[in-house]
Amino acid sequence: MAPESFFNGRLIIETGDITKKKVDAIVNAANSSLMGGGGVDGAIHRAGGPAILAECKNIRKKTYPDGLPAGEAVYTKGGNLPARYIIHTVGPVWHGGAKGEKELLRNAYFNSLSLAKELKLMSIAFPAISTGVYGYPKEEAAGIVYKVIHDFIKKNSLPEKIYLIFFNKGDADIFTETIQ
Ligand code: AR6
């Protein structure tokens, strides 16, 4: 199936493994420790190699001794990945929706996009932040992600291409059906 796109081709929906994506930056759905984990975080550290963890340790030491708060974003180089950079962000853990989850999810996307813009990157790829281990309902996440990206695209010319990479077709379908 051809990838679906929105906003004159600036937002592209794909299915696959984000660690294989050749873009200027891929986004990691990390946890506050920045020390790696399961899910997409584990896959990125495995494929990217130990240089990424070394850089993350340095960020913890210098900038975030207590960990990266949910909604914030930092970057490292891509190590052995085809992507030049990794933008590490932390999504919210789902606690039922009344604990600021929506704003934190919005911030995770917005701050990652803002960092990509600051770095003058042309392309960025996101996984479905918080919708795995952190339990954020996929339909609700879809609406928030679509809106924050739309608002960003209206005001900024970089990054020019924004990819949403879903790990399986079912998740990609939930996204496109929810926003239509
Ligand atoms: N490529 C693209 N998407 C992937 C890949 C991959 N290689 N692997 C998994 N996904 P999760 P979270 C999808 O749990 O909910 C980690 O342990 C997956 O199917 O990775 O933000 C961290 O260290 C799901 O749709 O992230 C944190 O502790 C999406 O990525 C915690 O999990 C996100 O699932 C963060 O939880």
Side-chain angles (χ1 to χ4, degrees):
M1 195 188 79
E4 287 210 54
S5 70
F6 302 88
F7 314 135
N8 285 325
R10 287 191 64 189
L11 173 63
I12 300 133
I13 313 303
E14 287 183 5
T15 299
D17 178 355
I18 200 167
T19 66
K20 304 272 198 303
K21 191 75 192 161
K22 194 170 185 299
V23 277
D24 290 332
I26 63 167
V27 177
N28 182 16
N31 61 62
S32 291
S33 81
L34 296 179
M35 294 298 108
V40 72
D41 191 8
I44 288 171
H45 278 276
R46 273 193 306 278
I52 296 165
L53 186 60
E55 255 192 278
C56 285
K57 283 185 176 157
N58 215 22
I59 291 169
R60 281 294 307 278
K61 207 160 127 191
K62 286 195 180 144
T63 321
Y64 288 105
D66 299 326
L68 183 67
E72 301 298 317
V74 296
Y75 74 95
T76 64
K77 296 210 183 73
N80 302 328
L81 296 176
R84 278 165 62 205
Y85 295 100
I86 303 165
I87 293 177
H88 303 261
T89 190
V90 181
V93 177
W94 179 256
H95 289 296
K99 293 273 198 291
E101 293 94 334
K102 183 175 175 176
E103 186 64 11
L104 292 173
L105 189 65
R106 199 192 74 84
N107 290 351
Y109 281 86
F110 180 82
N111 288 323
S112 297
L113 288 166
S114 299
L115 194 49
K117 179 190 163 187
E118 251 173 69
L119 293 166
K120 299 191 166 54
L121 305 186
M122 299 294 286
S123 57
I124 184 170
F126 285 90
I129 298 169
S130 282
T131 65
V133 173
Y134 281 1
Y136 209 109
K138 291 169 185 175
E139 289 83 359
E140 291 185 40
I144 293 160
V145 170
Y146 187 76
K147 184 171 187 318
V148 65
I149 291 175
H150 190 191
D151 291 347
F152 198 91
I153 282 176
K154 278 191 279 188
K155 294 188 187 125
N156 300 284
S157 53
L158 288 180
E160 194 179 288
K161 296 264 184 218
I162 301 167
Y163 295 86
L164 298 182
I165 312 288
F166 292 94
F167 208 30
N168 57 66
K169 186 171 178 303
D171 287 352
D173 288 346
I174 290 174
F175 182 87
T176 47
E177 281 159 21
T178 305
I179 60 165
Q180 268 155 21

